[in-house]
Amino acid sequence: MSIEREFKLALPPDRAEAADRFFTGVAGAPGRDVPLANIYFDTPSFALAGAKIALRLRKTPDGWLQTLKAAGTATGGMHSRHEWETAVAADALEFDALAAACDDEAALAALRAAAPALGERFRTTFVRRLWCLDFEGARIEAAIDRGDVTANANGQTRSEAISEIELELLEGDESALHALTEKLSAAVPGLAPENVNKAQRGYRLCAP
């Protein structure tokens, strides 16, 4: 189990170049683009969402990953939650591997109960521009995500644009994450804390 700690910031599209310049300046090198496609699963009655759990498959340039994220908190754009992730062979969930990785009994029980009725509910597709930063003694992954979240609801396709920044603490003290966020916000006006994650936005699109 790991605890994901990150800031999410809503990025106005016309500020994307300024954010890119900021991260390139801090890292001393341009970011690399990583295309990501994600499929989110739940039951028709959204049992996992009711248990505050998100389950997804992610296609990366290196292969497929499955991720289970449990209930967390989000305040002022700062997100903290437990997550379990394992590699899978293809675009299909592997419950035994996920169950072996998950050490939270409540999350595991909710997943097992929902398993027979799970199906695709929505997708997110975006390009992530990545930098790995050494900042004030910490390692922080900075990302600019731009793309779409799409869901089919009541026979209609609904979509919403994704344009946001994620700053994830990989190693070091959390104070460095706060300091980097403050420096970024000063350099790129118009950023705003984003307390709604991509999964929550997908569920919102699924609502009647």
Side-chain angles (χ1 to χ4, degrees):
M1 177 185 66
S2 64
I3 300 178
E4 182 183 56
R5 291 186 177 88
E6 64 184 7
F7 269 107
K8 292 182 184 289
L9 301 169
L11 173 65
D14 62 350
R15 300 293 184 182
E17 289 187 10
D20 190 299
R21 288 194 299 270
F22 173 84
F23 291 129
T24 297
V26 175
R32 62 185 180 93
D33 287 345
V34 180
L36 298 173
N38 305 277
I39 308 169
Y40 286 81
F41 296 84
D42 208 332
T43 68
S45 61
F46 302 111
L48 293 185
K52 297 183 179 179
I53 291 173
L55 176 64
R56 77 174 183 222
L57 278 174
R58 166 170 285 180
K59 185 179 181 181
T60 77
D62 298 322
W64 288 89
L65 298 171
Q66 60 182 359
T67 305
L68 179 68
K69 296 193 178 190
T73 60
T75 305
M78 177 67 175
H79 295 246
S80 179
R81 66 191 309 187
H82 296 287
E83 70 170 15
W84 301 267
E85 188 168 79
T86 66
V88 292
D91 57 341
L93 296 167
E94 297 180 9
F95 288 102
D96 289 345
L98 203 52
C102 180
D103 58 358
D104 184 292
E105 290 299 326
L108 189 55
L111 178 63
R112 284 174 170 159
L118 288 176
E120 179 184 331
R121 300 300 159 213
F122 57 91
R123 296 188 176 216
T124 62
T125 305
F126 55 93
V127 174
R128 170 165 287 176
R129 182 161 292 179
L130 279 171
W131 294 262
C132 190
L133 310 178
D134 294 314
F135 186 80
E136 294 190 359
R139 290 182 64 242
I140 298 171
E141 182 180 83
I144 296 177
D145 291 345
R146 303 189 73 185
D148 299 279
V149 52
T150 306
N152 291 315
N154 300 325
Q156 295 181 328
T157 300
R158 301 174 178 175
S159 64
E160 187 175 310
I162 294 170
S163 182
E164 64 185 32
I165 290 172
E166 291 187 0
L167 299 173
E168 182 176 357
L169 182 66
L170 302 179
E171 293 179 7
D173 194 273
E174 194 174 296
S175 62
L177 189 62
H178 289 268
L180 179 62
T181 303
E182 291 178 4
K183 187 173 182 179
L184 170 65
S185 298
V188 185
L191 300 180
E194 177 61 86
N195 289 326
V196 179
N197 61 40
K198 295 180 183 70
Q200 290 169 319
R201 294 170 71 180
Y203 278 113
R204 187 168 58 193
L205 290 177
C206 291

PDB file of all heavy atoms in Angstrom, residues 56-73:
ATOM      1  N   ARG A  56      -9.639   1.314 -11.752  1.00  0.00           N
ATOM      2  CA  ARG A  56      -9.372   1.645 -13.150  1.00  0.00           C
ATOM      3  C   ARG A  56      -8.319   0.727 -13.745  1.00  0.00           C
ATOM      4  O   ARG A  56      -7.492   0.149 -13.039  1.00  0.00           O
ATOM      5  CB  ARG A  56      -8.918   3.103 -13.286  1.00  0.00           C
ATOM      6  CG  ARG A  56      -7.479   3.318 -12.869  1.00  0.00           C
ATOM      7  CD  ARG A  56      -6.959   4.710 -13.136  1.00  0.00           C
ATOM      8  NE  ARG A  56      -5.556   4.772 -12.766  1.00  0.00           N
ATOM      9  CZ  ARG A  56      -4.980   5.779 -12.123  1.00  0.00           C
ATOM     10  NH1 ARG A  56      -5.682   6.845 -11.789  1.00  0.00           N
ATOM     11  NH2 ARG A  56      -3.687   5.748 -11.832  1.00  0.00           N
ATOM     12  N   LEU A  57      -8.363   0.651 -15.072  1.00  0.00           N
ATOM     13  CA  LEU A  57      -7.288   0.103 -15.889  1.00  0.00           C
ATOM     14  C   LEU A  57      -6.653   1.266 -16.627  1.00  0.00           C
ATOM     15  O   LEU A  57      -7.363   2.124 -17.171  1.00  0.00           O
ATOM     16  CB  LEU A  57      -7.824  -0.909 -16.900  1.00  0.00           C
ATOM     17  CG  LEU A  57      -8.090  -2.336 -16.439  1.00  0.00           C
ATOM     18  CD1 LEU A  57      -8.746  -3.108 -17.576  1.00  0.00           C
ATOM     19  CD2 LEU A  57      -6.797  -3.026 -16.019  1.00  0.00           C
ATOM     20  N   ARG A  58      -5.331   1.282 -16.683  1.00  0.00           N
ATOM     21  CA  ARG A  58      -4.619   2.366 -17.368  1.00  0.00           C
ATOM     22  C   ARG A  58      -3.682   1.789 -18.417  1.00  0.00           C
ATOM     23  O   ARG A  58      -2.878   0.898 -18.122  1.00  0.00           O
ATOM     24  CB  ARG A  58      -3.835   3.216 -16.375  1.00  0.00           C
ATOM     25  CG  ARG A  58      -2.802   4.145 -17.017  1.00  0.00           C
ATOM     26  CD  ARG A  58      -2.230   5.130 -16.033  1.00  0.00           C
ATOM     27  NE  ARG A  58      -3.206   6.189 -15.754  1.00  0.00           N
ATOM     28  CZ  ARG A  58      -2.989   7.207 -14.923  1.00  0.00           C
ATOM     29  NH1 ARG A  58      -1.838   7.291 -14.263  1.00  0.00           N
ATOM     30  NH2 ARG A  58      -3.912   8.125 -14.736  1.00  0.00           N
ATOM     31  N   LYS A  59      -3.807   2.292 -19.635  1.00  0.00           N
ATOM     32  CA  LYS A  59      -2.876   1.928 -20.691  1.00  0.00           C
ATOM     33  C   LYS A  59      -1.785   2.986 -20.765  1.00  0.00           C
ATOM     34  O   LYS A  59      -2.056   4.168 -20.970  1.00  0.00           O
ATOM     35  CB  LYS A  59      -3.584   1.836 -22.044  1.00  0.00           C
ATOM     36  CG  LYS A  59      -2.674   1.348 -23.165  1.00  0.00           C
ATOM     37  CD  LYS A  59      -3.408   1.252 -24.488  1.00  0.00           C
ATOM     38  CE  LYS A  59      -2.487   0.730 -25.586  1.00  0.00           C
ATOM     39  NZ  LYS A  59      -3.175   0.641 -26.897  1.00  0.00           N
ATOM     40  N   THR A  60      -0.535   2.539 -20.612  1.00  0.00           N
ATOM     41  CA  THR A  60       0.618   3.426 -20.689  1.00  0.00           C
ATOM     42  C   THR A  60       1.499   2.947 -21.834  1.00  0.00           C
ATOM     43  O   THR A  60       1.306   1.851 -22.368  1.00  0.00           O
ATOM     44  CB  THR A  60       1.425   3.389 -19.379  1.00  0.00           C
ATOM     45  OG1 THR A  60       2.204   2.186 -19.342  1.00  0.00           O
ATOM     46  CG2 THR A  60       0.511   3.431 -18.154  1.00  0.00           C
ATOM     47  N   PRO A  61       2.491   3.728 -22.233  1.00  0.00           N
ATOM     48  CA  PRO A  61       3.416   3.251 -23.273  1.00  0.00           C
ATOM     49  C   PRO A  61       4.148   1.965 -22.894  1.00  0.00           C
ATOM     50  O   PRO A  61       4.642   1.244 -23.762  1.00  0.00           O
ATOM     51  CB  PRO A  61       4.390   4.418 -23.427  1.00  0.00           C
ATOM     52  CG  PRO A  61       3.597   5.626 -23.021  1.00  0.00           C
ATOM     53  CD  PRO A  61       2.732   5.143 -21.898  1.00  0.00           C
ATOM     54  N   ASP A  62       4.199   1.656 -21.580  1.00  0.00           N
ATOM     55  CA  ASP A  62       4.910   0.463 -21.121  1.00  0.00           C
ATOM     56  C   ASP A  62       3.995  -0.725 -20.848  1.00  0.00           C
ATOM     57  O   ASP A  62       4.478  -1.800 -20.465  1.00  0.00           O
ATOM     58  CB  ASP A  62       5.698   0.790 -19.843  1.00  0.00           C
ATOM     59  CG  ASP A  62       6.754   1.855 -20.079  1.00  0.00           C
ATOM     60  OD1 ASP A  62       7.382   1.827 -21.161  1.00  0.00           O
ATOM     61  OD2 ASP A  62       6.930   2.713 -19.201  1.00  0.00           O
ATOM     62  N   GLY A  63       2.691  -0.564 -21.014  1.00  0.00           N
ATOM     63  CA  GLY A  63       1.774  -1.668 -20.760  1.00  0.00           C
ATOM     64  C   GLY A  63       0.573  -1.232 -19.932  1.00  0.00           C
ATOM     65  O   GLY A  63       0.321  -0.041 -19.750  1.00  0.00           O
ATOM     66  N   TRP A  64      -0.155  -2.219 -19.406  1.00  0.00           N
ATOM     67  CA  TRP A  64      -1.380  -1.969 -18.654  1.00  0.00           C
ATOM     68  C   TRP A  64      -1.148  -2.060 -17.153  1.00  0.00           C
ATOM     69  O   TRP A  64      -0.383  -2.908 -16.681  1.00  0.00           O
ATOM     70  CB  TRP A  64      -2.452  -2.979 -19.045  1.00  0.00           C
ATOM     71  CG  TRP A  64      -3.020  -2.768 -20.413  1.00  0.00           C
ATOM     72  CD1 TRP A  64      -2.554  -3.292 -21.591  1.00  0.00           C
ATOM     73  CD2 TRP A  64      -4.162  -1.986 -20.751  1.00  0.00           C
ATOM     74  NE1 TRP A  64      -3.333  -2.876 -22.639  1.00  0.00           N
ATOM     75  CE2 TRP A  64      -4.335  -2.082 -22.164  1.00  0.00           C
ATOM     76  CE3 TRP A  64      -5.064  -1.222 -20.024  1.00  0.00           C
ATOM     77  CZ2 TRP A  64      -5.365  -1.426 -22.829  1.00  0.00           C
ATOM     78  CZ3 TRP A  64      -6.093  -0.578 -20.677  1.00  0.00           C
ATOM     79  CH2 TRP A  64      -6.241  -0.679 -22.064  1.00  0.00           C
ATOM     80  N   LEU A  65      -1.834  -1.191 -16.414  1.00  0.00           N
ATOM     81  CA  LEU A  65      -1.812  -1.197 -14.952  1.00  0.00           C
ATOM     82  C   LEU A  65      -3.246  -1.191 -14.435  1.00  0.00           C
ATOM     83  O   LEU A  65      -4.133  -0.573 -15.037  1.00  0.00           O
ATOM     84  CB  LEU A  65      -1.088   0.048 -14.408  1.00  0.00           C
ATOM     85  CG  LEU A  65       0.382   0.238 -14.765  1.00  0.00           C
ATOM     86  CD1 LEU A  65       0.835   1.625 -14.332  1.00  0.00           C
ATOM     87  CD2 LEU A  65       1.234  -0.832 -14.106  1.00  0.00           C
ATOM     88  N   GLN A  66      -3.473  -1.853 -13.305  1.00  0.00           N
ATOM     89  CA  GLN A  66      -4.762  -1.745 -12.632  1.00  0.00           C
ATOM     90  C   GLN A  66      -4.532  -1.078 -11.284  1.00  0.00           C
ATOM     91  O   GLN A  66      -3.539  -1.356 -10.600  1.00  0.00           O
ATOM     92  CB  GLN A  66      -5.430  -3.107 -12.454  1.00  0.00           C
ATOM     93  CG  GLN A  66      -4.653  -4.114 -11.640  1.00  0.00           C
ATOM     94  CD  GLN A  66      -5.353  -5.454 -11.533  1.00  0.00           C
ATOM     95  OE1 GLN A  66      -6.446  -5.654 -12.058  1.00  0.00           O
ATOM     96  NE2 GLN A  66      -4.729  -6.409 -10.840  1.00  0.00           N
ATOM     97  N   THR A  67      -5.442  -0.184 -10.920  1.00  0.00           N
ATOM     98  CA  THR A  67      -5.264   0.609  -9.708  1.00  0.00           C
ATOM     99  C   THR A  67      -6.569   0.652  -8.930  1.00  0.00           C
ATOM    100  O   THR A  67      -7.639   0.885  -9.501  1.00  0.00           O
ATOM    101  CB  THR A  67      -4.832   2.052 -10.044  1.00  0.00           C
ATOM    102  OG1 THR A  67      -3.648   2.014 -10.850  1.00  0.00           O
ATOM    103  CG2 THR A  67      -4.539   2.833  -8.775  1.00  0.00           C
ATOM    104  N   LEU A  68      -6.462   0.449  -7.631  1.00  0.00           N
ATOM    105  CA  LEU A  68      -7.584   0.600  -6.713  1.00  0.00           C
ATOM    106  C   LEU A  68      -7.249   1.742  -5.768  1.00  0.00           C
ATOM    107  O   LEU A  68      -6.183   1.741  -5.150  1.00  0.00           O
ATOM    108  CB  LEU A  68      -7.799  -0.699  -5.929  1.00  0.00           C
ATOM    109  CG  LEU A  68      -8.924  -0.698  -4.889  1.00  0.00           C
ATOM    110  CD1 LEU A  68     -10.281  -0.616  -5.585  1.00  0.00           C
ATOM    111  CD2 LEU A  68      -8.840  -1.942  -4.009  1.00  0.00           C
ATOM    112  N   LYS A  69      -8.140   2.722  -5.692  1.00  0.00           N
ATOM    113  CA  LYS A  69      -7.923   3.854  -4.793  1.00  0.00           C
ATOM    114  C   LYS A  69      -9.056   3.896  -3.779  1.00  0.00           C
ATOM    115  O   LYS A  69     -10.227   3.818  -4.137  1.00  0.00           O
ATOM    116  CB  LYS A  69      -7.877   5.177  -5.574  1.00  0.00           C
ATOM    117  CG  LYS A  69      -6.699   5.266  -6.540  1.00  0.00           C
ATOM    118  CD  LYS A  69      -6.504   6.676  -7.045  1.00  0.00           C
ATOM    119  CE  LYS A  69      -5.295   6.775  -7.965  1.00  0.00           C
ATOM    120  NZ  LYS A  69      -4.933   8.163  -8.291  1.00  0.00           N
ATOM    121  N   ALA A  70      -8.685   4.020  -2.503  1.00  0.00           N
ATOM    122  CA  ALA A  70      -9.668   4.027  -1.431  1.00  0.00           C
ATOM    123  C   ALA A  70     -10.027   5.456  -1.052  1.00  0.00           C
ATOM    124  O   ALA A  70      -9.523   6.422  -1.619  1.00  0.00           O
ATOM    125  CB  ALA A  70      -9.131   3.263  -0.224  1.00  0.00           C
ATOM    126  N   ALA A  71     -10.929   5.552  -0.079  1.00  0.00           N
ATOM    127  CA  ALA A  71     -11.400   6.867   0.360  1.00  0.00           C
ATOM    128  C   ALA A  71     -10.225   7.730   0.815  1.00  0.00           C
ATOM    129  O   ALA A  71      -9.269   7.247   1.412  1.00  0.00           O
ATOM    130  CB  ALA A  71     -12.400   6.713   1.494  1.00  0.00           C
ATOM    131  N   GLY A  72     -10.301   9.013   0.525  1.00  0.00           N
ATOM    132  CA  GLY A  72      -9.249   9.934   0.910  1.00  0.00           C
ATOM    133  C   GLY A  72      -9.821  11.286   1.263  1.00  0.00           C
ATOM    134  O   GLY A  72     -11.026  11.438   1.490  1.00  0.00           O
ATOM    135  N   THR A  73      -8.947  12.275   1.310  1.00  0.00           N
ATOM    136  CA  THR A  73      -9.368  13.643   1.619  1.00  0.00           C
ATOM    137  C   THR A  73      -8.856  14.576   0.530  1.00  0.00           C
ATOM    138  O   THR A  73      -7.872  14.295  -0.146  1.00  0.00           O
ATOM    139  CB  THR A  73      -8.803  14.097   2.975  1.00  0.00           C
ATOM    140  OG1 THR A  73      -7.365  14.050   2.933  1.00  0.00           O
ATOM    141  CG2 THR A  73      -9.303  13.199   4.095  1.00  0.00           C
TER     142      THR A  73
END
